[in-house]
Amino acid sequence: MPADGTVRLASSVSSTTADAKASGSPPPSPEGQLDHIESLLRSLPDDLTLNQKHRAEEFIRSRANVFSRSEFDIGRTNIIPHRIDTGDCSPHFEQLQCHPTVQLPVIDEHVQHMLEHDVIDPAASPWCSNVVMVRKQDGTMRLCIDY
């Protein structure tokens, strides 16, 4: 953390294909450019009129570049720097909580995937909050932060 008491955050705003290239994501192939929105198009409500459905599909296709192509395609931009002014507040630090032994490999796997996909960076900071594993509806676990 900088000496001025601020916390800097990476943006998770999806922007352009150029940003995807900069973040290491492969550029979409011309023939498969819209593959990532097919499930979205298929999940449009059944009660739409044909005109509404056509307009919705046209809208989604025209903005296909803003939809994630994969789980870790969250996008990044350096257009707007983010700062959280913490003023003269002392850092919040929580002691590490014990997790069930069966969750430890899942936590390690989540962290490793996020590191590999440049979602997180290793850090040493006086600010620290615990991770919490939350079960999703499909039975898999989601890694969350308990701020």
Side-chain angles (χ1 to χ4, degrees), residues 1 86-93 126-127:
M1 183 174 72
T86 59
D88 56 0
C89 294
S90 59
H92 175 79
F93 184 88
W127 295 82

Side-chain angles (χ1 to χ4, degrees), residues 69-86:
R69 295 178 184 282
S70 66
E71 179 182 0
F72 293 105
D73 178 18
I74 60 171
R76 288 207 173 186
T77 183
N78 58 2
I79 296 171
I80 302 171
H82 291 78
R83 259 176 67 138
I84 299 174
D85 184 358
T86 59

Side-chain angles (χ1 to χ4, degrees), residues 54-121:
H54 175 73
R55 289 179 58 206
E57 287 177 355
E58 189 176 282
F59 180 84
I60 292 167
R61 289 180 199 281
S62 70
R63 289 158 177 81
N65 66 314
V66 301
F67 294 98
S68 295
R69 295 178 184 282
S70 66
E71 179 182 0
F72 293 105
D73 178 18
I74 60 171
R76 288 207 173 186
T77 183
N78 58 2
I79 296 171
I80 302 171
H82 291 78
R83 259 176 67 138
I84 299 174
D85 184 358
T86 59
D88 56 0
C89 294
S90 59
H92 175 79
F93 184 88
E94 292 180 0
Q95 292 297 320
L96 181 63
Q97 297 290 320
C98 291
H99 295 279
T101 307
V102 295
Q103 288 184 357
L104 297 178
V106 179
I107 292 170
D108 290 343
E109 183 180 336
H110 277 273
V111 170
Q112 187 60 39
H113 283 312
M114 289 188 291
L115 283 168
E116 289 170 358
H117 291 91
D118 202 27
V119 174
I120 60 173
D121 293 317

Side-chain angles (χ1 to χ4, degrees), residues 1-59:
M1 183 174 72
D4 64 357
T6 61
V7 177
R8 286 177 178 51
L9 301 175
S11 175
S12 62
V13 177
S14 185
S15 51
T16 64
T17 303
D19 287 339
K21 288 179 186 174
S23 71
S25 298
S29 60
E31 65 278 353
Q33 259 182 331
L34 303 179
D35 289 349
H36 68 289
I37 61 168
E38 288 305 315
S39 64
L40 180 61
L41 295 173
R42 284 192 304 271
S43 67
L44 287 172
D46 293 331
D47 60 347
L48 294 178
T49 66
L50 286 177
N51 184 40
Q52 290 171 328
K53 186 172 183 173
H54 175 73
R55 289 179 58 206
E57 287 177 355
E58 189 176 282
F59 180 84

